[in-house]
Amino acid sequence: MTIFTIGHGRAAFADFLALLKQYGIEVVCDVRSAARSRWPQYNGLVLEELLRENGVGYEWLPECGGKVVAPTEDLNRGLERIMELAAD
């Protein structure tokens, strides 16, 4: 099983989506502690809808910590969920 990582930076959503499609990504796990961005297309609810409209799943896993250090128990729970999704 392979798990990819990606950041959106300032990329247009179409470019972000093209990368996901290029590598056959079926689900995006958002590991940010707060699913928000100064670029509206990457705010959690908007991103979830845009991905769903394009056949890509979305799961927000704030327990992974994002830019903060997550407690080990929370991080492990988030990583286990990522592994479950990847196995499906």
Side-chain angles (χ1 to χ4, degrees), residues 18-31:
L19 279 172
L20 298 177
K21 296 290 186 177
Q22 178 181 345
Y23 289 95
I25 305 303
E26 298 175 1
V27 177
V28 169
C29 293
D30 187 343
V31 297

Side-chain angles (χ1 to χ4, degrees), residues 13-14 17-18 20-21 25-26 46-57:
F13 179 76
L17 182 63
L20 298 177
K21 296 290 186 177
I25 305 303
E26 298 175 1
V46 175
L47 180 59
E48 180 178 19
E49 183 176 333
L50 288 171
L51 290 171
R52 185 173 7 105
E53 288 172 357
N54 288 280
V56 178

Side-chain angles (χ1 to χ4, degrees), residues 8-10 32 34-44 47:
H8 61 75
R10 295 180 182 208
R32 298 176 292 177
R36 60 179 177 256
S37 172
R38 68 180 78 160
W39 293 276
Q41 70 271 24
Y42 295 113
N43 284 324
L47 180 59

Side-chain angles (χ1 to χ4, degrees), residues 30-88:
D30 187 343
V31 297
R32 298 176 292 177
S33 53
R36 60 179 177 256
S37 172
R38 68 180 78 160
W39 293 276
Q41 70 271 24
Y42 295 113
N43 284 324
L45 293 176
V46 175
L47 180 59
E48 180 178 19
E49 183 176 333
L50 288 171
L51 290 171
R52 185 173 7 105
E53 288 172 357
N54 288 280
V56 178
Y58 173 90
E59 184 143 348
W60 181 40
L61 299 168
E63 60 269 30
C64 290
K67 290 185 177 182
V68 299
V69 176
T72 302
E73 184 176 302
D74 292 348
L75 179 58
N76 286 342
R77 187 174 64 251
L79 293 174
E80 285 175 15
R81 181 65 182 138
I82 291 170
M83 298 296 284
E84 287 172 6
L85 290 167
D88 287 344

